[in-house]
Amino acid sequence: MRFPAAHPGATPAPAQAGRTDDSLVLLGIALATVAGAWLSRAIAFSANEFSLFWPPAGSACGALLAIGPRGLAAAAMGVLAWALFAYGPDPAILGCALAASVAGPLAAVAVQRRLLDASRSRGNEPTELRRLLSLYAATQAAGAPVAALIGTFGLRLSPAYDGGSMLSIFVGYWLVESLGVLLFAPAVQALLDAPRGQRALHLDMPIVGLAAALALLGVGLASIGEPGYARGLTHLFLPLAAFCAIRCAKPTAYWTLVACAALLLTTHALGDSGTGLPGERQVDLFSGALLVFSATALAQVLQAVSADRRTALAALARAAHEDPATGLANLRGLDELLQNRLAHRRQTGFGLVGVRLRNLDAAVDLLDESDAGRVIVALQRALAQTPGVEALARPAPDRFVAIWRGGEPDDLEAVAAGMLRQLEAIRIAAGSVTMQLAPALGAVWVSPRPGLHDELLRLTLREAELEAALRVERPRRVGIVDDGLRARHRARLSATERGREAIL
């Protein structure tokens, strides 16, 4: 892989732009956290006594997962600013809000990383689904309880709050923290993990429009005295979330789920008539939040399963075109490289260099697996470092093919001679025995003209390699692509078969 050289005078400008981008991202996290806290109070129990979910918990957790402690600090500052605006200079509220917004995400992420490390130690590389489920488990087991404990302590200390028992406050706090992380942490992480310049919110507008229509219908039902029907519309979030997971890509699906959940939870909260016992109303409102929790979890799991499936299929596709030991193109991948090269050549010739290592099997048999792997890597590096080599393939265990871009056939002769010297200089130490490789190198020059195809190129190269392998003193053969080669090759094979039959 080649990277453009950096111009010395251009270095400070990108660095300054990167610092500006980082500052804008951190400011955006803080402002989004304030907006999320305000949203949670807009979708709260009657008289704003308790939120149905807490977006700042998800913002802080997602920012910590994506960009580290700086993101967590920005989210914590947003929570502190909102608490100061909402409660005034109450030391208990401010201190506990800041502590909960930091301690909860830190505990959740620490437990998640331990779970993922334990999975890696068992030889299981974390998949998208495993990462998601570990985040759920870490939030429920550590992040939400820690934040709920701190928040409950702060609310009980503050004279501005004289709500119910500590147990009910703790359980409610635990639930709204969990809902906030579930809804917002994957969405925020997906947004911040995107490359710079591509961090934008994308929503599936048909699904959001359907959720908005359901929310308006629910508000209308609540306004005419039918709050039960309004709350019942929340149950439609389940098929909506499943359809969103099937229809959308991961970042779009996550933010679409957030928008739909906010709309339907608003409908559910507006459906609270304010009558009945406070405990019954809390259970009724929390039931809607739990439904949204379940539907969102289902949609995110479906998304993770789909992502893992796409990753597995992509890995299978790569495996069909890659050599597993080196990551180079295999025989099928070489065909694809040749087809692309023929399809996109710009009226310039190029060279193909094939290397057969006649005693590689014997050398590898003398070595253990790790030493044999290092020999293969050394061969790959020696060929890849040759000037002008634009692609390298390993179509067989004892064979490499390089695509060389150059100007004239005479230059290809010099390149082939240099490659051969490099390979012959490699020594393989196997205990008390030192072996020298016996490479045979065939090269062909491909002139730009119509009618070329990958099969003809492979056949010409193979003939050059076989001819070079028969030479002892000078195992190198450089030629050009010849249209008559196929006919001569078939004639030679036919003659060989006739001779074999005659001998039998």
Side-chain angles (χ1 to χ4, degrees), residues 282-309:
Q282 287 186 8
V283 170
D284 187 31
L285 289 168
F286 270 130
S287 66
L290 285 173
L291 177 65
V292 171
F293 178 93
S294 303
T296 303
L298 171 64
Q300 290 177 352
V301 167
L302 287 175
Q303 270 291 330
V305 170
S306 298
D308 290 338
R309 180 175 177 273

Side-chain angles (χ1 to χ4, degrees), residues 32-301:
T33 304
V34 174
W38 173 84
L39 175 66
S40 74
R41 284 308 189 195
I43 311 173
F45 293 164
S46 298
N48 278 357
E49 58 193 30
F50 215 74
S51 298
L52 284 174
F53 64 102
W54 186 238
S59 300
C61 192
L64 177 60
L65 287 169
I67 60 177
R70 295 178 303 148
L72 177 61
M77 291 300 101
V79 171
L80 186 63
W82 174 83
L84 182 62
F85 175 79
Y87 292 99
D90 188 328
I93 292 288
L94 296 180
C96 288
L98 182 61
S101 62
V102 172
L106 283 176
V109 171
V111 172
Q112 184 201 25
R113 287 174 178 168
R114 284 184 174 274
L115 292 174
L116 296 178
D117 289 342
S119 176
R120 291 189 185 94
S121 66
R122 294 191 296 269
N124 299 321
E125 190 62 27
T127 60
E128 191 73 25
L129 179 60
R130 192 180 297 274
R131 292 179 187 278
L132 185 66
L133 295 180
S134 65
L135 178 62
Y136 290 171
T139 299
Q140 295 299 317
V146 168
L149 187 63
I150 297 173
T152 302
F153 181 72
L155 289 175
R156 294 299 295 173
L157 286 180
S158 173
Y161 189 84
D162 56 353
S165 66
M166 289 189 67
L167 179 60
S168 64
I169 296 173
F170 177 80
V171 172
Y173 212 123
W174 189 342
L175 179 59
V176 299
E177 281 277 328
S178 301
L179 279 171
V181 172
L182 171 74
L183 278 172
F184 284 87
V188 171
Q189 184 181 6
L191 178 64
L192 295 177
D193 280 340
R196 288 179 180 175
Q198 301 180 21
R199 291 169 175 166
L201 295 182
H202 297 285
L203 302 177
D204 190 308
M205 296 313 298
I207 294 180
V208 174
L210 182 56
L214 292 174
L216 289 175
L217 179 59
V219 171
L221 290 172
S223 65
I224 62 175
E226 296 291 345
Y229 289 108
R231 291 194 298 271
L233 290 175
T234 310
H235 292 76
L236 294 176
F237 184 66
L238 182 59
L240 200 65
F243 182 61
C244 177
I246 296 171
R247 175 183 169 90
C248 305
K250 182 176 72 172
T252 303
Y254 286 165
W255 283 105
T256 302
L257 288 172
V258 167
C260 294
L263 288 169
L264 293 178
L265 281 175
T266 302
T267 303
H268 196 78
L270 291 174
D272 178 24
S273 61
T275 61
L277 297 175
E280 295 176 353
R281 288 166 46 215
Q282 287 186 8
V283 170
D284 187 31
L285 289 168
F286 270 130
S287 66
L290 285 173
L291 177 65
V292 171
F293 178 93
S294 303
T296 303
L298 171 64
Q300 290 177 352
V301 167

